[in-house]
């Protein structure tokens, strides 16, 4: 088995474990330990509303970004150095107006952002 095949198998196993651990509706392809409701609560406390400019550092496959954009309506830029994760995020967000960029952090992307995740 190649390293890529092994990585996909392991990633698939972790995704199944996460779905079961989080419970119904709480897994949004996040890589951390926060549930979907906690992610939305944090974004709301940070002041994310329609039009808020949000920068998501280390966004991974973009699950939380998709969630907060759908639920709270914001101008979103997700950044991660994992090209495969960013490609997955772009595919999932096609047509939704979210932006994703593959780059290392630091440096932090330039721009006026009201909220950084």
């Amino acid at each position: 088995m190649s390293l890529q095949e092994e990585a996909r198998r392991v990633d698939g196993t972790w995704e199944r474990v996460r779905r079961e651990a989080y419970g119904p509706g709480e897994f949004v392809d996040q890589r951390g330990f926060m549930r979907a409701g906690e992610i939305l609560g944090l974004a709301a406390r940070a002041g994310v509303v329609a039009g808020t400019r949000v920068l998501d550092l280390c966004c991974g496959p973009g699950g939380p970004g998709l969630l907060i954009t759908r639920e709270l309506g914001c101008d979103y830029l997700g950044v991660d150095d994992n090209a495969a994760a960013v490609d997955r995020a772009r595919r999932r967000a096609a047509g939704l107006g979210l932006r994703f960029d593959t780059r290392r952090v630091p440096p932090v992307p330039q721009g006026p952002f009201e909220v950084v995740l």
Side-chain angles (χ1 to χ4, degrees), residues 39-49 52 54 72 114-117:
I39 292 166
L40 283 174
L42 177 64
R45 284 190 302 279
V48 176
V49 295
T52 302
V54 175
L72 304 174
E114 285 96 20
V115 175
V116 178
L117 303 175

Side-chain angles (χ1 to χ4, degrees), residues 43-113:
R45 284 190 302 279
V48 176
V49 295
T52 302
R53 293 169 294 207
V54 175
L55 173 62
D56 187 357
L57 300 173
C58 304
C59 68
L66 286 164
L67 175 68
I68 65 170
T69 300
R70 272 192 233 120
E71 297 293 324
L72 304 174
C74 60
D75 179 20
Y76 177 90
L77 172 60
V79 176
D80 201 289
D81 69 347
N82 182 321
V86 171
D87 287 344
R88 181 175 176 182
R90 285 181 179 138
R91 285 192 307 275
R92 295 173 65 210
L96 298 176
L98 284 76
R99 296 172 296 134
F100 293 93
D101 193 10
T102 303
R103 67 168 72 185
R104 289 188 63 82
V105 176
V108 174
Q110 294 292 314
F113 299 104

